[in-house]
Amino acid sequence: MRRFVWVILSISYLSGLLWSIDDPYLEMSLEELFNTNIVISASKRPEDLFEAPMDISVIRKEEIRNSGANSIPEALKLIPGIIVREQTPGNYDVQIRGFDTATTSLMVPTPNCSIILVMIDDRIVYDYFAGGTFWEMLGIDIEDVEKIEVVRGPASALYGPNAMTGVIHIITNTYREEGFHLFSKINANHVNSRDAYMRMDYRHFEKYEFTFSTNVSQQYRTDELYFSTVTDQYHEVDDLSTILLHSPEMSALDYYGISYKDQNLSLENNAINMSAKYHIDEKNYFKFDLGFQKSRSQKAYYNNFFTPLSQYKSKGIYQNFQMIYDNFYFQQNYNMGYYDNNFYWSKYAYVNYNLSVEYPLYLGKSIIRPGYHNRSSQYASRLFTDVLFDTSHDIPNQMETITSNSVSLLLDYPVNQKWRFVSGFRSEKYNIKNQLSNSFEAGITYRADKDKLFRIMISGAERSPFMIDAFSNKASLMFLDPVLTVTDSLVGVIFYGNKTLPFLRNYTFDCGVRSRLSEKSTFDANFFYTILDQFSDYRNNGYYIDTITYGTPVYIYPYFLSEVKSMKVDQTGFNYTLNYDFYTSLKFKTYGMLQFTNERIHANGYDYVDFLADSTPMLSAGYTFNIRAFSDLNIFAQHNFYSRQKFNFSSLKILSKTTIKAYHNINLNLIYEIDDKQSISLYLKNLEGKHREYPFTDQICFNAIMGYTFKF
């Protein structure tokens, strides 16, 4: 122990000496220092984006507002390496770098960004039922956002499991000025969609902050059809069919309790958010947040065996408490509510609890950050109930719980002004499995001069267990099997979860360069190579016949969740961002990602490339122009491109395939400031016209949105 202490003290002393040499910030002009872009998500402390050790991008309130984006997923289109595809108006699929098909299963056939961690002011918003983030349940409005920081690549050593391909950190805004402030916004478009937002802030003597905001939104479909998993075509709701067993006296949808109300409604949101913050001094504070949200949506997520496009409704409430005092960091939050599908199988209630305690130790310029974390996820669902062949729709919910305790350690050691070493480790222990889940990262940055930085990062992450994977238990259906030739035979399907499976794992190598090409131009490029393994899926190895329960042969197919040991997925890619400010009134940005994903099957001692995973676009790219035409008029143009994508949809014995043609997103937003308190806007979205962005969902059409804002 004594030797360890002396080593740490010696390193601290030497790093202090080395830091006194060649400080690049001493060479910067006043304008360069003023334009320094501060981020916090790459190493859990404020730092210049230029020096961040990870592949990270940030978009700020001004750019978001100028773009006209009306939601957080839509704003993410401004960031490279993120694939954002609209399923129905206002409902988006969001991926970092891809891996869409690789992480899906029979029960949840469409992705829901289950390997991305989304946070709001360090508060994790993640659903542990089947993994992922429901964007309609965030509660906050785009006007609440100060900036969005996106870390590409595994960040589980920093933020815990499920940050496998990255982190989307949403940071809300706060008023710096004393007194009372009011901001309101209203938007409406030509298809009767509309949204409204109001926010009130009060700041008193640099000590107290109070915020209240509320938002409401309604968006409607421009498409009336639903994709059928049986016919492989689009139909009206009344024409949907299924291979499931049903009574000839009623429709199949009615037999399974599936109803489609308000078929034209795409998304409806209502939310209230409140925050109170007390500043002890410039560095220390207490903060308490409370919010409530209610939503209805129509999107592709869960399989109802008729169509991928289902209706959902939710209610939720969250509470969050944060404290920073004398470097001690404490955070505790609850998130509870229910999620309801129009298919009676997939309804559940939940209570999620998170606690984090960290205490950074400053040793000269070095930082050691130990931490302890606790999480409890409690879900109640009929999918966990031991029931066989019950079609009464009255199956009771059964409650199950997954808890985890973890420790983390981060080290940030700047050797001198040129070299910096960062590393992190986190280990999770779950109540359902004895095996530890470990995540790590280790990286080096080299600042060649004030205008150029090189970085290398090696990281690994594992995904947490999900409730449906661990506890699904004999929830069953029956259907007429079109394959079997036995007259009047029935087929039963039983799903069995597995608590002992290894966790999905990701290893990634990143290297990149950032460069200030001039005082007006910056360039950021990153190369990445990723391997995913330890997949699991529901597999069937045969059937057995039950002739007793119904008096007729029932061919029972049990599906067991098991590891797919033969499968690995690797991805190689490159992403970039180039910013160029021609003048203060004209700014240009271009960005993009090129990636290649392969799914490999190991069999008979050989590795076979099963197929190129084309569900992620090989090329995604875009550019923006921001023009301040006059002192009162701002024009923002955005153009995004996605290359061709191919999708497979598997639902029991049904396999559907489709291709999304290469398409463009072209948007134009005009903002006219009437005075310093009022402005009007015209947002022309999807100027390219009708096209489909996501398989088996709606065609997305042109949209013209008028907006008015008022602040006091």
Side-chain angles (χ1 to χ4, degrees):
M1 179 59 70
R2 289 179 182 175
R3 292 178 180 177
F4 175 76
V5 171
W6 276 109
V7 167
I8 295 298
L9 291 176
S10 299
I11 291 174
S12 174
Y13 174 73
L14 290 173
S15 65
L17 290 178
L18 291 169
W19 261 81
S20 64
I21 305 172
D22 298 332
D23 188 344
Y25 291 98
L26 295 176
E27 303 176 24
M28 289 186 180
S29 66
L30 185 62
E31 182 179 0
E32 288 174 319
L33 289 171
F34 181 77
N35 291 326
T36 299
N37 205 348
I38 301 299
V39 295
I40 62 174
S41 303
S43 57
K44 282 194 169 183
R45 67 178 181 86
E47 62 184 335
D48 183 2
L49 171 65
F50 192 83
E51 299 218 15
M54 305 186 77
D55 184 19
I56 183 172
S57 296
V58 60
I59 49 174
R60 300 185 175 276
K61 173 177 283 295
E62 182 182 9
E63 183 179 5
I64 295 172
R65 184 170 290 174
N66 288 340
S67 73
N70 286 314
S71 68
I72 291 171
E74 190 178 352
L76 293 174
K77 290 185 177 183
L78 297 166
I79 296 178
I82 298 191
I83 298 129
V84 181
R85 296 170 290 198
E86 197 165 7
Q87 300 180 348
T88 59
N91 294 299
Y92 294 86
D93 169 66
V94 178
Q95 302 285 333
I96 295 181
R97 294 180 177 172
F99 293 123
D100 300 64
T101 58
T103 57
T104 63
S105 69
L106 174 68
M107 296 289 286
V108 187
T110 51
N112 194 47
C113 55
S114 66
I115 50 179
I116 303 173
L117 197 66
V118 180
M119 302 188 302
I120 302 174
D121 295 331
D122 285 327
R123 174 173 62 90
I124 294 173
V125 285
Y126 192 87
D127 182 79
Y128 296 94
F129 184 73
T133 297
F134 299 121
W135 297 99
E136 71 272 21
M137 294 173 62
L138 294 187
I140 66 171
D141 188 83
I142 190 69
E143 293 293 345
D144 288 310
V145 177
E146 179 65 32
K147 62 178 178 177
I148 303 175
E149 298 179 359
V150 175
V151 176
R152 291 172 292 267
S156 292
L158 288 170
Y159 299 106
N162 306 315
M164 294 189 64
T165 57
V167 169
I168 298 174
H169 191 184
I170 303 161
I171 299 170
T172 58
N173 54 33
T174 181
Y175 275 88
R176 304 290 183 186
E177 300 177 2
E178 292 278 333
F180 175 80
H181 305 272
L182 173 67
F183 179 87
S184 61
K185 175 193 74 172
I186 185 168
N187 289 330
N189 67 15
H190 68 287
V191 291
N192 295 323
S193 296
R194 51 196 173 269
D195 62 85
Y197 171 83
M198 184 186 71
R199 176 185 172 114
M200 294 180 290
D201 289 86
Y202 179 71
R203 187 179 180 99
H204 182 64
F205 292 126
E206 299 292 330
K207 287 288 186 180
Y208 303 98
E209 292 180 31
F210 301 97
T211 299
F212 172 87
S213 69
T214 181
N215 61 81
V216 296
S217 174
Q218 282 186 331
Q219 298 192 53
Y220 290 89
R221 301 175 63 199
T222 53
D223 204 332
E224 298 178 351
L225 302 180
Y226 293 80
F227 181 82
S228 170
T229 56
V230 175
T231 66
D232 245 7
Q233 296 177 352
Y234 289 85
H235 303 274
E236 294 184 354
V237 164
D238 294 338
D239 295 328
L240 292 175
S241 59
T242 179
I243 61 172
L244 302 179
L245 174 68
H246 65 275
S247 169
E249 299 177 358
M250 63 177 70
S251 70
L253 286 170
D254 292 337
Y255 184 78
Y256 285 98
I258 302 176
S259 60
Y260 280 84
K261 302 177 181 178
D262 297 327
Q263 296 174 24
N264 292 329
L265 182 67
S266 173
L267 178 64
E268 182 180 74
N269 277 349
N270 300 274
I272 295 174
N273 298 281
M274 294 171 283
S275 178
K277 190 173 184 180
Y278 172 68
H279 294 266
I280 302 172
D281 52 37
E282 292 183 358
K283 295 183 179 180
N284 302 308
Y285 66 85
F286 298 91
K287 184 184 180 187
F288 181 81
D289 304 309
L290 182 66
F292 169 81
Q293 68 81 26
K294 180 181 178 181
S295 73
R296 290 193 297 161
S297 60
Q298 193 160 194
K299 62 180 183 177
Y301 167 51
Y302 204 90
N303 180 11
N304 67 16
F305 302 102
F306 288 79
T307 177
L309 196 60
S310 296
Q311 293 182 334
Y312 304 84
K313 59 182 179 180
S314 73
K315 282 186 180 180
I317 186 171
Y318 73 87
Q319 166 269 318
N320 181 53
F321 175 74
Q322 287 178 293
M323 178 186 73
I324 294 180
Y325 185 75
D326 195 22
N327 293 336
F328 179 79
Y329 174 83
F330 175 87
Q331 183 176 30
Q332 168 271 329
N333 58 70
Y334 276 101
N335 186 22
M336 61 192 76
Y338 75 84
Y339 199 65
D340 191 346
N341 189 318
N342 59 338
F343 184 31
Y344 79 101
W345 255 28
S346 47
K347 302 177 182 180
Y348 58 87
Y350 63 90
V351 177
N352 289 322
Y353 172 79
N354 289 280
L355 180 143
S356 291
V357 179
E358 296 180 331
Y359 188 77
L361 303 173
Y362 294 87
L363 304 172
K365 297 292 184 178
S366 303
I367 303 174
I368 299 177
R369 189 182 183 111
Y372 167 75
H373 317 273
N374 172 265
R375 177 174 60 83
S376 172
S377 298
Q378 194 171 65
Y379 283 72
S381 170
R382 61 188 62 190
L383 280 174
F384 308 153
T385 306
D386 188 352
V387 174
L388 184 64
F389 302 145
D390 191 317
T391 59
S392 66
H393 305 171
D394 294 325
I395 302 172
N397 288 332
Q398 180 167 319
M399 185 171 291
E400 300 290 351
T401 303
I402 295 178
T403 61
S404 68
N405 290 278
S406 63
V407 292
S408 62
L409 183 66
L410 304 177
L411 171 63
D412 192 335
Y413 173 51
V415 179
N416 53 35
Q417 292 292 347
K418 292 185 178 293
W419 293 93
R420 176 185 177 191
F421 173 74
V422 294
S423 64
F425 178 79
R426 179 162 169 152
S427 184
E428 309 270 343
K429 178 66 171 66
Y430 297 96
N431 64 323
I432 64 171
K433 188 178 178 183
N434 291 325
Q435 180 183 344
L436 293 175
S437 175
N438 299 316
S439 302
F440 71 91
E441 66 175 31
I444 296 174
T445 68
Y446 172 68
R447 187 152 188 174
D449 52 46
K450 73 180 183 69
D451 294 325
K452 195 176 281 76
L453 179 133
F454 300 91
R455 51 187 170 77
I456 295 176
M457 178 69 70
I458 300 174
S459 50
E462 292 189 343
R463 193 171 67 180
S464 72
F466 297 152
M467 305 298 298
I468 193 172
D469 290 348
F471 297 108
S472 59
N473 186 22
K474 292 190 177 181
S476 311
L477 290 175
M478 289 186 296
F479 60 89
L480 297 171
D481 193 333
V483 178
L484 295 175
T485 58
V486 182
T487 305
D488 297 327
S489 65
L490 301 176
V491 173
V493 179
I494 308 176
F495 300 104
Y496 293 95
N498 191 336
K499 301 177 184 178
T500 64
L501 286 176
F503 307 117
L504 181 69
R505 184 171 58 187
N506 178 343
Y507 293 121
T508 296
F509 170 80
D510 278 278
C511 65
V513 58
R514 295 191 184 100
S515 177
R516 291 189 178 95
L517 304 178
S518 69
E519 290 189 359
K520 297 182 178 181
S521 175
T522 61
F523 179 71
D524 190 342
N526 184 75
F527 166 83
F528 56 90
Y529 176 72
T530 296
I531 297 177
L532 249 65
D533 64 359
Q534 298 187 166
F535 290 94
S536 58
D537 199 0
Y538 286 90
R539 294 298 179 92
N540 172 255
N541 296 321
Y543 64 90
Y544 63 92
I545 302 176
D546 182 341
T547 59
I548 299 175
T549 306
Y550 283 88
T552 188
V554 179
Y555 291 76
I556 298 179
Y557 286 80
Y559 281 82
F560 297 91
L561 188 65
S562 55
E563 182 182 2
V564 186
K565 295 183 178 180
S566 61
M567 182 175 176
K568 285 188 178 182
V569 175
D570 62 76
Q571 184 184 58
T572 305
F574 166 85
N575 57 264
Y576 73 92
T577 304
L578 173 65
N579 290 280
Y580 194 93
D581 297 346
F582 291 93
Y583 310 100
T584 56
S585 59
L586 176 58
K587 298 181 179 181
F588 170 76
K589 180 172 80 170
T590 179
Y591 49 91
M593 179 182 71
L594 178 67
Q595 64 81 31
F596 302 91
T597 302
N598 292 296
E599 298 190 4
R600 301 180 181 274
I601 303 297
H602 183 79
N604 302 321
Y606 296 95
D607 283 326
Y608 299 93
V609 179
D610 188 31
F611 60 88
L612 191 66
D614 289 332
S615 61
T616 297
M618 185 179 298
L619 174 63
S620 57
Y623 61 84
T624 66
F625 277 102
N626 190 77
I627 306 170
R628 193 74 178 183
F630 306 101
S631 60
D632 299 328
L633 177 64
N634 193 85
I635 303 172
F636 190 97
Q638 179 184 2
H639 179 194
N640 287 86
F641 170 78
Y642 290 91
S643 62
R644 186 186 65 172
Q645 304 151 63
K646 295 181 179 179
F647 290 83
N648 296 325
F649 179 90
S650 177
S651 174
L652 292 178
K653 293 183 177 297
I654 301 297
L655 178 63
S656 300
K657 298 183 179 182
T658 192
T659 297
I660 302 294
K661 297 179 180 179
Y663 64 90
H664 300 262
N665 275 141
I666 304 173
N667 306 325
L668 180 66
N669 189 50
L670 310 174
I671 300 176
Y672 177 71
E673 296 175 357
I674 301 172
D675 52 38
D676 59 350
K677 294 181 180 180
Q678 302 177 85
S679 66
I680 57 175
S681 63
L682 174 61
Y683 182 35
L684 304 177
K685 182 180 177 183
N686 298 322
L687 286 167
E688 70 283 8
K690 183 179 292 187
H691 65 285
R692 202 180 304 276
E693 297 186 5
Y694 196 79
F696 318 115
T697 56
D698 283 1
Q699 296 189 82
I700 305 302
C701 300
F702 167 76
N703 200 348
I705 305 171
M706 289 291 299
Y708 170 76
T709 63
F710 172 80
K711 57 184 178 180
F712 172 77

